[in-house]
Amino acid sequence: MDAPEEPLPPVIYTMENKPIVTCAGDQNLFTSLYPTLSQQLPREPMEWRRSYGRAPRMIHLESNFVQFKEELLAKEGNKALLTFPFLHVYWAECCDTEVYKATVKDDLTKWQNALKAHSSADWLIVLVENDAKKKNKTNILPRTSIVDKIRNDFCNKQSDRCVVLSDPLKDSSRTQESWNAFLTKLRTLLLMSFTKNLGKFEDDMRTLREKRTEPGWSFCEYFMVQEELAFVFEMLQQFEDALVQYDELDALFSQYVVNFGAGDGANWLTFFCQPVKSWNGLILRKPIDMEKRELIQRQEATLLELRSYLFSRQCTLLLFLQRPWEVAQRALELLHSCVQELQLLEVSVPPGALDCWVFLSCLEVLQRIEGCCDRAHLDANSAHTVGLWSYATEKLKSLGYLCGLVSEKGPNSEDLNRTVDLLAGLGAERPETANTAQSPYKKLKEALSSVEAFEKHYLELSHAAIEMYTSVGRIRSAKFVGKDLAEFYMRKKSPQKAEVYLQGALKNYLAEGWALPVTHTRKQLAECQKHLGQIEKKKDYWLSCTPKALGVCGSRSCPQPGRRGAVCRPLDSVPSYLQSSSLLASDRHLTEDERKYFCQEILSFASQTDSPGHRVVLPMHSFAQLRDLRFTPSNAVVHVGGVLSVEMTVCSQMPVPVHVEQIAINVHFSIEKNNYRKTAEWLTKHKTSNGIIHFATEPSPFPASPNSLPALELYEMFERSPSDNSLTTTGIICRNVHMLLRRQESSTSLETPSTVALEDGAHVLKCSSVTLQPGANTVTFRTQAKEPGTYTLRQLCASLGPVWFVLPHIYPLAQYDVYSQEPQLLVEPLADSLLAGIPQKVKFTVTTGHYTVKNGDSLQLSNAEAMLILCHADSRAVIYSNTREKASDASLRVHSSDKVTSISLPAAPAYHVIEFELEVLSLPSAPAAGEESSRLGVTEPQRKQKDTQKAGHCMATIDHKVSIDCPWSIYSTVIALTFSVPFRTTHALLSAGTRKYVQVCVQNLSELDFQLSGSDLVDTRGSTGLQLTPLNTESQQRVRSRQSVSFVWELTWAQEPPPSLRGRFSVGFCPASEERLSVSLKPYTYDFQVENFFTLYNVKAEILPPAGMEHCRTGSLCSLAVSITRLSDLLEVDRDEALTESDQCFSTKLMYEVVDNSSNWAVCGKSSGVICMPVAAQATHRVHMEVVPLFAGHLPLPDVRLFKYLPHHSAHSAQPDADSWIENDSLSVDKHGDEQLDGGGSRSRGGGHSASSSEHQGLPMPRLQALPPGQVFNSGAGTQVLVIPSKDDHVLEVSVT
């Protein structure tokens, strides 16, 4: 086999590294097949299954085929995978036996011995078959014999290690199948070798990493080993796995640096603590920076060089993965971490060197990303790169300050020498950027070359960073960059440009609540405004023209000059510098001297007199804090002419005592449209009692803290699959996100506006010449009320010459009321209700209002007929002020006559209250009994019935109207006092045959107990023949609350009784709990009338058992005998239309009716009828009927009722005879206070009396008139009959009464 004339070039570390495969045997044969082999090998992907459960990957295998040399075989301790041959292939062409034995066999033996000597078991023998050569040589052995020999000689148990490639240069299906089999075998063996050797390499690498705690362990050595693994993954285009290796190295090194800072340092870290001598920035334009890699391999690299090389490799892999924005993110983290690591390792770094390195690195990363993306993509993702722009700006600014490029006079010699040293540390520009016009090297060198160049580059970077921050919505960061730019402008003596940026930064600090940055920025802003001369800047602003009696406005700045009747006044503007000074003078974060300085600036301007009429208005909160207000009187209500004081507590924020010329409160006056004259009573009820209004201790200039935000309302969220109900999604939902993420108010509200509107009004409370000490001060205002209305405290002003500190709105609302009240008289009982008959106390309240009560003024009360006004000699009147404080008292003089009672009032000033008490007594007579004895009413014309009694629990009421003449009015005041009658009285007529009794029942409805005495009943008609005999033996009786007492009299007469009795009941009473009263009480009276009380008829009923039986039985017919007996001869009460005269004999028609309301008896036959009763003593009429008992037991007798049978008088129809009416039994009942008649008996179950029967419809009907209860006496009332049950009854019903 001929060797190639020129050896292959040595393997170097490039991005095109591939796994090495050695080729032995026929090199010319391999050379002819190499193009096809290199093209076909990576075409099909292979699944790479890795160890330790890592996910499989699909990779395309490529190889670097080199000539076999024994030097290439792996030696002991060699950890380089890129120079390691993964597979050895021997190429041989099919030949005859002699050639095989002469050359091929010996060469194969030597090749295999060399592999065995180096323990290499990854090999493959390829036998190429050529049909053309087979035809030329007839004695050649068959192909199988050569293959079999090779397999027998070299592939004992690995017959698959010998592959036959048939006619590889032909284009045939057989050739293609042969190629496919060969390529599959080659890929499989190559992947197997790769997996095996890579796994062994990883195990060795882990072993080396586990030895990191040993003294001789070197990070640089381990770095080269793991980077070799990263190279292999990169070689296989597994960039993610390669990036993981560098990330692990990054994390390992960072952890060692952190441990070093904590005092646990490794020895090998001392190599990275060398002083920094070069700061040329990151190099990202080379795939592999071999110079830095060699420094790391020789353990001569500094910290910056190690970090630069490590990040350059990470950047390369990230760009391969098309993740350029992650490069920017990692670069920013790297630059910040490098600064910290240099401090932790205490590396010596020349001043400005680190700033140069960071600046160059930022620009290098940005340009590397710009080279991979178009402009539109860059603009859309500027949020990822703006941090690098801002960091580069910050570092360039530091370099400018360091090298004297920002000072007014420019750099001095020391600054120039420092600049030369920094540029020397950059070294020469790298060849890959030498032809780039805007390379980071050139930019930095140009920026440090002159003041103008630095300003150009710094402004360019600053504006670019601000623009990017603004475009991505990071306004706060943009304002912070602007603050740095403002400092630059201040150094350059351009305060007009710096003010805008300082204002923006201040608003952001205020919005986020940073107290110390707010103070620092405000100091810078004050300095800037002082340089701008803001104090003298805002003098020519004018608010409006205010009316004036005479004169023409002559102001040059007035928008309407020459307008008559007006004069212009300056606008109440706030110069920015004075506003900032006032805020700084009250800032607790400054030192005492700094606060005094800014306070003195305000006082100096206030003492100026060169600008008369000019007024500067500043916000009050920076000068003083309003803590509380206290009104005197406490309810903040005062009458016209009264004095009101307002005590104000003000906490001065100034560090020194400040003399204030005047403190004023602007008051707004308003009158209600509907009722502008409020009464003192209404105002007192609607005002707070303490009169103190507290204000917030200090209005914070910062927004609400996160603690004041609403709490998070978090809820779990689950989503399940509808098919198998398996959990697909889980999470947390915030239900009040609209409250938490709502838009905050604009930042302009965080700083007090520069202009405060100052109100002008006629009502002002003033306090002059006040010295406010630091801390709490008390200021008292006094005013005399003049006009009634509501006065609202609107503004608080403190003036120091032309400087006015104004609190534009006083909140919470503070106001006081002034009222003018008409005199009033109020009469009200002291108890819940006034009781008639006993003395009751009544309270008189005279509210003087604007009227002054003089000696001799009195109240003239017209006396009511049934009500007395009582007065004791020791009665007194008390005078109170309008604040309910007792002013004085005086004796009360009352003079009574027949018609008028005069009450002399004590002298009292205006807006006072006179109170006194009197006793009143109402006559206790009860309402007279009307048609119903239970109804009460007032019969006297001056009384009015207020209420009817319901269920006997409501007291009857009586109104007494009293007319009062007051000295302050020409009109009389009418008051009504309502008295309740404590008793409810009823009467009843009782009968016992011909004997008559009257019962009077007195019920106590009040809550008091009464003692009754001297009861009496008289006939008001004065009948001589009628006597009333009392049956009550006790002279005094006690009736308790809600109880009753009855009195009974017997009526006797010697001759014919009168038709009616008009009785008057009287009884003396007094409260049982009262001691002896000062006045004698009138007795309680009750008038009533009793009609027709004499007994005319005696009704007797009797039930007899059937013949042969001793007792009645249920269901058996029994006989009912009713006897009606007339007890007297003709009387006046009998002379009515029912009375008839025949042969000098008088008779009357009566109707009887048997009714059993308890349904114990069944009346058989007619239950009612009409009889003709003679009007003569002892005239008797008997009626018999049959009844059936329905129940067993002692049953009461049925009721027997009597009615007068009255004919119907009609002018249009004839009167039928009485017999027809008796026979038909169809009657009309005339109700006189009694119930409607019931047919009873059997008729109650069939049909009763029909007042409108169909057979008599249209005919005149007779009328029935019920006899009064006193004229009929039922002697059988209360009698019971024994009824026994029938013998054949299975169900026994017994009636028990």
Side-chain angles (χ1 to χ4, degrees):
M1 183 176 295
D2 298 334
E5 296 179 359
E6 295 182 0
L8 293 174
V11 177
I12 60 173
Y13 294 100
T14 63
M15 295 302 297
E16 290 78 21
N17 286 337
K18 301 173 184 178
I20 297 176
V21 177
T22 63
C23 298
D26 193 347
Q27 294 293 325
N28 294 328
L29 175 63
F30 169 73
T31 303
S32 63
L33 299 177
Y34 176 74
T36 305
L37 179 60
S38 61
Q39 183 180 2
Q40 294 292 333
L41 180 62
R43 181 166 297 179
E44 294 294 333
M46 291 290 291
E47 185 180 20
W48 182 24
R49 294 186 177 274
R50 305 179 62 188
S51 58
Y52 300 105
R54 286 174 284 190
R57 302 285 181 88
M58 299 300 294
I59 61 175
H60 294 266
L61 288 173
E62 294 184 82
S63 296
N64 184 16
F65 294 93
V66 299
Q67 184 179 355
F68 176 78
K69 291 182 179 180
E70 194 171 352
E71 292 81 10
L72 295 175
L73 297 177
K75 298 179 177 60
E76 190 69 25
N78 186 10
K79 296 182 177 60
L81 280 178
L82 293 180
T83 59
F84 177 80
F86 291 95
L87 185 63
H88 307 277
V89 181
Y90 189 90
W91 298 84
E93 193 173 8
C94 186
C95 56
D96 54 16
T97 307
E98 290 76 9
V99 176
Y100 170 73
K101 292 180 179 180
T103 59
V104 176
K105 184 177 181 180
D106 294 339
D107 197 25
L108 270 171
T109 302
K110 187 186 300 182
W111 176 68
Q112 275 210 340
N113 291 334
L115 295 179
K116 291 179 181 179
H118 292 81
S119 302
S120 179
D122 300 315
W123 51 270
L124 177 66
I125 299 175
V126 182
L127 186 60
V128 180
E129 180 188 55
N130 195 332
D131 292 342
K133 291 185 178 181
K134 187 186 297 184
K135 294 178 182 179
N136 294 334
K137 295 183 180 181
T138 56
N139 59 345
I140 192 170
L141 292 175
R143 175 179 59 81
T144 55
S145 62
I146 296 296
V147 173
D148 292 339
K149 281 184 174 294
I150 294 176
R151 287 176 177 171
N152 290 333
D153 294 339
F154 302 101
C155 307
N156 296 328
K157 297 181 180 180
Q158 297 174 324
S159 58
D160 59 337
R161 293 299 181 98
C162 183
V163 181
V164 178
L165 189 60
S166 301
D167 291 328
L169 299 179
K170 288 187 176 181
D171 187 9
S172 63
S173 60
R174 181 170 175 266
T175 301
Q176 188 64 36
E177 291 177 1
S178 177
W179 267 110
N180 290 340
F182 165 67
L183 291 173
T184 301
K185 191 64 179 178
L186 181 61
R187 293 190 192 105
T188 302
L189 292 176
L190 184 59
L191 190 60
M192 289 174 58
S193 174
F194 186 80
T195 303
K196 179 183 67 175
N197 289 282
L198 188 62
K200 184 176 182 301
F201 183 86
E202 288 181 332
D203 292 339
D204 294 341
M205 184 187 71
R206 290 191 194 92
T207 303
L208 180 61
R209 184 171 58 194
E210 291 172 357
K211 296 180 180 180
R212 62 184 180 274
T213 57
E214 297 180 2
W217 189 82
S218 172
F219 175 79
C220 294
E221 180 182 351
Y222 175 74
F223 181 92
M224 306 306 295
V225 172
Q226 190 158 1
E227 189 188 29
E228 191 77 17
L229 181 61
F231 283 150
V232 172
F233 285 126
E234 186 178 1
M235 177 180 63
L236 296 175
Q237 296 185 355
Q238 301 301 310
F239 303 116
E240 190 70 44
D241 292 332
L243 182 62
V244 168
Q245 308 308 314
Y246 285 110
D247 289 344
E248 289 181 356
L249 289 171
D250 190 351
L252 181 63
F253 185 79
S254 299
Q255 187 61 47
Y256 270 105
V257 174
V258 172
N259 294 343
F260 183 87
D264 185 15
N267 296 329
W268 54 266
L269 272 175
T270 56
F271 298 109
F272 298 100
C273 297
Q274 306 172 25
V276 175
K277 298 179 180 179
S278 175
W279 41 86
N280 54 1
L282 298 175
I283 301 176
L284 304 180
R285 303 173 193 264
K286 294 181 180 179
I288 301 176
D289 190 349
M290 294 304 298
E291 297 179 3
K292 289 187 174 58
R293 188 175 190 277
E294 290 176 358
L295 292 175
I296 296 172
Q297 189 173 11
R298 297 197 304 265
Q299 299 185 3
E300 297 177 359
T302 62
L303 176 65
L304 294 181
E305 290 169 342
L306 172 67
R307 283 298 187 183
S308 299
Y309 176 76
L310 187 57
F311 181 77
S312 67
R313 295 296 301 133
Q314 292 172 323
C315 174
T316 301
L317 295 173
L318 287 171
L319 293 179
F320 277 130
L321 292 170
Q322 298 182 355
R323 287 147 61 179
W325 313 120
E326 189 174 343
V327 174
Q329 177 185 351
R330 289 187 176 218
L332 193 59
E333 295 174 358
L334 167 75
L335 299 178
H336 286 287
S337 63
C338 282
V339 174
Q340 300 297 325
E341 288 174 351
L342 288 172
Q343 295 178 359
L344 289 175
L345 295 179
E346 300 178 357
V347 178
S348 175
V349 182
L354 193 57
D355 296 333
C356 292
W357 183 81
V358 171
F359 177 80
L360 292 173
S361 300
C362 289
L363 296 187
E364 178 72 11
V365 173
L366 291 172
Q367 290 187 3
R368 186 72 177 92
I369 294 175
E370 290 175 359
C372 302
C373 306
D374 56 5
R375 173 53 55 185
H377 202 191
L378 287 171
D379 294 340
N381 293 273
S382 57
H384 300 89
T385 58
V386 65
L388 293 173
W389 286 102
S390 177
Y391 204 19
T393 305
E394 178 184 344
K395 293 305 175 183
L396 184 59
K397 173 190 172 184
S398 300
L399 289 173
Y401 280 75
L402 182 66
C403 298
L405 299 174
V406 189
S407 61
E408 301 179 18
K409 300 179 180 179
N412 53 27
S413 58
E414 183 179 354
D415 297 331
L416 294 175
N417 293 333
R418 189 178 296 111
T419 303
V420 171
D421 295 338
L422 290 176
L423 293 177
L426 299 178
E429 188 174 8
R430 295 187 291 270
E432 56 269 18
T433 61
N435 298 326
T436 305
Q438 295 294 328
S439 65
Y441 181 87
K442 292 186 177 67
K443 282 190 175 183
L444 180 59
K445 193 171 183 179
E446 181 182 355
L448 298 180
S449 61
S450 64
V451 175
E452 294 77 10
F454 172 80
E455 182 175 356
K456 169 192 170 185
H457 284 282
Y458 177 69
L459 293 179
E460 179 182 348
L461 287 175
S462 299
H463 290 300
I466 293 174
E467 182 179 356
M468 289 184 185
Y469 275 132
T470 305
S471 64
V472 300
R474 295 176 59 179
I475 307 299
R476 178 189 62 180
S477 300
K479 300 297 183 182
F480 292 165
V481 176
K483 183 175 180 293
D484 295 337
L485 192 57
E487 295 179 0
F488 171 77
Y489 281 130
M490 289 299 294
R491 287 288 191 99
K492 302 296 287 183
K493 297 301 181 181
S494 298
Q496 67 277 4
K497 297 181 180 180
E499 185 183 16
V500 178
Y501 294 107
L502 289 175
Q503 289 281 8
L506 179 61
K507 289 179 181 178
N508 276 275
Y509 287 134
L510 287 169
E512 296 188 357
W514 297 99
L516 290 176
V518 164
T519 303
H520 180 261
T521 307
R522 191 170 279 148
K523 281 180 60 179
Q524 294 177 313
L525 183 60
E527 181 184 358
C528 174
Q529 293 164 346
K530 187 173 183 179
H531 283 87
L532 284 172
Q534 292 286 344
I535 297 178
E536 301 297 329
K537 198 176 180 184
K538 295 185 178 180
K539 288 187 178 180
D540 296 328
Y541 291 90
W542 304 88
L543 180 60
S544 62
C545 288
T546 56
K548 197 173 183 181
L550 297 174
V552 178
C553 180
S555 173
R556 298 178 181 179
S557 302
C558 178
Q560 298 176 344
R563 192 175 64 153
R564 294 197 57 84
V567 63
C568 279
R569 59 188 176 91
L571 175 68
D572 299 327
S573 60
V574 182
S576 302
Y577 176 67
L578 289 182
Q579 181 180 3
S580 300
S581 297
S582 65
L583 292 170
L584 290 170
S586 61
D587 197 331
R588 305 286 180 177
H589 297 96
L590 291 178
T591 62
E592 195 71 17
D593 293 339
E594 290 176 321
R595 293 179 61 193
K596 290 180 179 179
Y597 168 77
F598 288 108
C599 181
Q600 190 60 40
E601 291 286 295
I602 301 173
L603 298 178
S604 299
F605 177 81
S607 61
Q608 295 177 2
T609 57
D610 56 348
S611 55
H614 178 53
R615 185 167 56 190
V616 177
V617 181
L618 299 178
M620 173 68 75
H621 70 86
S622 60
F623 176 72
Q625 299 285 338
L626 178 60
R627 291 295 176 84
D628 58 64
L629 283 174
R630 182 190 298 269
F631 287 100
T632 304
S634 59
N635 59 357
V637 177
V638 65
H639 56 80
V640 173
V643 176
L644 178 96
S645 64
V646 180
E647 184 178 298
M648 177 186 301
T649 301
V650 178
C651 184
S652 175
Q653 304 293 315
M654 296 293 104
V656 297
V658 178
H659 180 75
V660 180
E661 296 180 1
Q662 177 180 281
I663 298 180
I665 301 178
N666 289 339
V667 181
H668 175 73
F669 171 70
S670 63
I671 302 177
E672 290 190 1
K673 297 180 180 178
N674 298 329
N675 184 17
Y676 65 94
R677 293 187 182 273
K678 298 180 181 179
T679 63
E681 178 184 2
W682 187 94
L683 292 171
T684 304
K685 289 181 179 179
H686 293 78
K687 285 289 186 177
T688 57
S689 59
N690 55 8
I692 302 177
I693 302 176
H694 296 280
F695 300 89
T697 55
E698 182 177 358
S700 175
F702 306 117
S705 63
N707 296 331
S708 63
L709 295 176
L712 285 173
E713 296 181 8
L714 300 179
Y715 296 89
E716 296 179 355
M717 181 270 297
F718 301 97
E719 290 185 4
R720 298 185 178 274
S721 174
S723 58
D724 56 355
N725 201 30
S726 61
L727 185 63
T728 58
T729 306
T730 183
I732 296 177
I733 295 178
C734 180
R735 292 191 177 180
N736 61 338
V737 67
H738 61 287
M739 298 293 295
L740 299 170
L741 300 183
R742 60 184 178 181
R743 186 176 184 271
Q744 297 291 335
E745 295 295 333
S746 175
S747 59
T748 57
S749 63
L750 298 172
E751 187 79 354
T752 305
S754 58
T755 300
V756 178
L758 190 62
E759 293 184 357
D760 287 335
H763 302 277
V764 180
L765 304 181
K766 297 180 180 180
C767 187
S768 302
S769 185
V770 178
T771 300
L772 295 181
Q773 300 291 335
N777 299 267
T778 302
V779 182
T780 303
F781 303 86
R782 288 181 175 84
T783 181
Q784 185 173 13
K786 296 180 180 180
E787 187 176 357
T790 300
Y791 295 80
T792 304
L793 310 186
R794 297 286 287 269
Q795 283 188 347
L796 176 65
C797 307
S799 60
L800 287 77
V803 180
W804 283 44
F805 291 96
V806 177
L807 180 63
H809 303 287
I810 298 178
Y811 186 83
L813 193 66
Q815 60 185 17
Y816 64 91
D817 292 278
V818 178
Y819 67 93
S820 175
Q821 186 180 4
E822 296 293 333
Q824 292 181 355
L825 171 64
L826 177 63
V827 181
E828 55 185 350
L830 294 180
D832 294 337
S833 62
L834 298 176
L835 295 180
I838 59 175
Q840 298 286 282
K841 288 188 177 181
V842 176
K843 180 181 179 181
F844 287 74
T845 303
V846 177
T847 303
T848 61
H850 60 77
Y851 180 79
T852 301
V853 179
K854 302 175 290 296
N855 290 323
D857 289 344
S858 62
L859 300 178
Q860 305 294 329
L861 282 71
S862 60
N863 294 336
E865 182 179 352
M867 189 186 75
L868 302 177
I869 298 177
L870 308 177
C871 180
H872 300 284
D874 56 349
S875 298
R876 302 188 70 82
V878 182
I879 302 174
Y880 296 95
S881 66
N882 61 341
T883 59
R884 296 300 300 176
E885 296 178 358
K886 183 177 179 180
S888 62
D889 61 351
S891 61
L892 190 66
R893 292 177 296 170
V894 180
H895 302 280
S896 298
S897 62
D898 294 339
K899 295 183 179 180
V900 177
T901 298
S902 176
I903 304 175
S904 299
L905 297 177
Y911 297 101
H912 278 62
V913 178
I914 304 174
E915 291 183 356
F916 57 90
E917 297 177 3
L918 295 178
E919 287 187 346
V920 294
L921 179 63
S922 175
L923 296 182
S925 58
E931 294 182 355
E932 300 180 20
S933 61
S934 62
R935 180 179 299 273
L936 300 179
V938 181
T939 60
E940 287 78 8
Q942 72 272 16
R943 300 177 186 177
K944 178 182 176 182
Q945 180 178 337
K946 295 289 290 184
D947 194 10
T948 59
Q949 301 191 7
K950 301 177 181 179
H953 294 291
C954 298
M955 292 184 287
T957 58
I958 305 171
D959 281 351
H960 294 283
K961 293 184 179 180
V962 180
S963 176
I964 304 177
D965 293 332
C966 302
W968 54 79
S969 175
I970 62 176
Y971 302 101
S972 299
T973 302
V974 179
I975 62 171
L977 296 178
T978 301
F979 291 84
S980 299
V981 180
F983 304 120
R984 179 178 182 267
T985 308
T986 58
H987 70 277
L989 178 65
L990 307 178
S991 300
T994 58
R995 300 181 68 179
K996 297 295 179 179
Y997 303 90
V998 175
Q999 180 188 29
V1000 178
C1001 181
V1002 179
Q1003 183 181 5
N1004 182 9
L1005 300 178
S1006 68
E1007 301 294 334
L1008 299 178
D1009 296 346
F1010 288 94
Q1011 190 77 23
L1012 304 182
S1013 62
S1015 59
D1016 188 22
L1017 178 63
V1018 297
D1019 182 12
T1020 57
R1021 286 186 174 183
S1023 301
T1024 58
L1026 184 64
Q1027 294 183 0
L1028 298 173
T1029 304
L1031 300 182
N1032 296 72
T1033 59
E1034 296 183 3
S1035 60
Q1036 291 188 353
Q1037 286 184 306
R1038 183 165 184 166
V1039 56
R1040 299 186 181 276
S1041 174
R1042 308 299 178 184
Q1043 292 185 356
S1044 59
V1045 173
S1046 296
F1047 301 90
V1048 180
W1049 283 265
E1050 183 181 359
L1051 276 68
T1052 58
W1053 54 89
Q1055 54 187 3
E1056 180 181 351
S1060 64
L1061 170 65
R1062 291 187 179 181
R1064 170 170 292 178
F1065 169 76
S1066 63
V1067 62
F1069 72 98
C1070 65
S1073 59
E1074 290 279 348
E1075 296 182 358
R1076 185 176 179 181
L1077 298 176
S1078 59
V1079 295
S1080 59
L1081 302 180
K1082 298 290 185 179
Y1084 171 73
T1085 61
Y1086 170 69
D1087 294 334
F1088 63 92
Q1089 183 175 349
V1090 180
E1091 300 284 349
N1092 300 324
F1093 58 87
F1094 183 73
T1095 304
L1096 297 180
Y1097 300 98
N1098 181 22
V1099 179
K1100 182 178 181 181
E1102 184 179 5
I1103 294 179
L1104 302 177
M1109 293 185 184
E1110 183 180 0
H1111 299 288
C1112 297
R1113 291 183 181 272
T1114 57
S1116 301
L1117 288 174
C1118 300
S1119 176
L1120 173 62
V1122 179
S1123 174
I1124 303 173
T1125 304
R1126 171 82 181 190
L1127 300 180
S1128 63
D1129 294 326
L1130 181 65
L1131 298 177
E1132 288 297 327
V1133 295
D1134 293 322
R1135 299 183 182 279
D1136 54 14
E1137 52 188 340
L1139 183 68
T1140 59
E1141 182 179 1
S1142 172
D1143 299 333
Q1144 297 182 356
C1145 293
F1146 294 92
S1147 63
T1148 184
K1149 290 182 180 181
L1150 300 176
M1151 176 183 171
Y1152 68 90
E1153 183 180 19
V1154 179
V1155 178
D1156 184 18
N1157 291 329
S1158 59
S1159 300
N1160 293 324
W1161 303 89
V1163 182
C1164 299
K1166 295 176 61 176
S1167 63
S1168 60
V1170 178
I1171 62 174
C1172 185
M1173 191 72 183
V1175 182
Q1178 300 303 316
T1180 303
H1181 188 89
R1182 292 179 176 85
V1183 179
H1184 295 274
M1185 60 185 70
E1186 293 179 338
V1187 295
V1188 178
L1190 302 179
F1191 303 100
H1194 290 276
L1195 303 182
L1197 296 179
D1199 294 335
V1200 180
R1201 300 179 182 177
L1202 288 183
F1203 301 90
K1204 276 191 177 183
Y1205 187 83
L1206 302 177
H1208 182 79
H1209 299 283
S1210 176
H1212 304 287
S1213 61
Q1215 175 75 0
D1217 57 356
D1219 295 336
S1220 64
W1221 287 112
I1222 297 172
E1223 183 179 354
N1224 291 325
D1225 194 20
S1226 294
L1227 306 173
S1228 174
V1229 179
D1230 187 12
K1231 295 177 62 179
H1232 289 278
D1234 209 343
E1235 297 179 350
Q1236 183 72 22
L1237 291 176
D1238 188 357
S1242 61
R1243 287 185 178 273
S1244 64
R1245 292 165 182 83
H1249 303 294
S1250 177
S1252 58
S1253 177
S1254 61
E1255 54 182 332
H1256 299 291
Q1257 189 171 4
L1259 296 178
M1261 304 288 292
R1263 295 179 295 113
L1264 297 180
Q1265 179 180 358
L1267 292 171
Q1271 292 183 356
V1272 180
F1273 177 71
N1274 193 343
S1275 61
T1279 306
Q1280 294 182 338
V1281 178
L1282 176 61
V1283 179
I1284 62 176
S1286 302
K1287 294 182 179 179
D1288 56 350
D1289 288 344
H1290 298 285
V1291 178
L1292 178 63
E1293 295 186 9
V1294 178
S1295 176
V1296 180
T1297 59

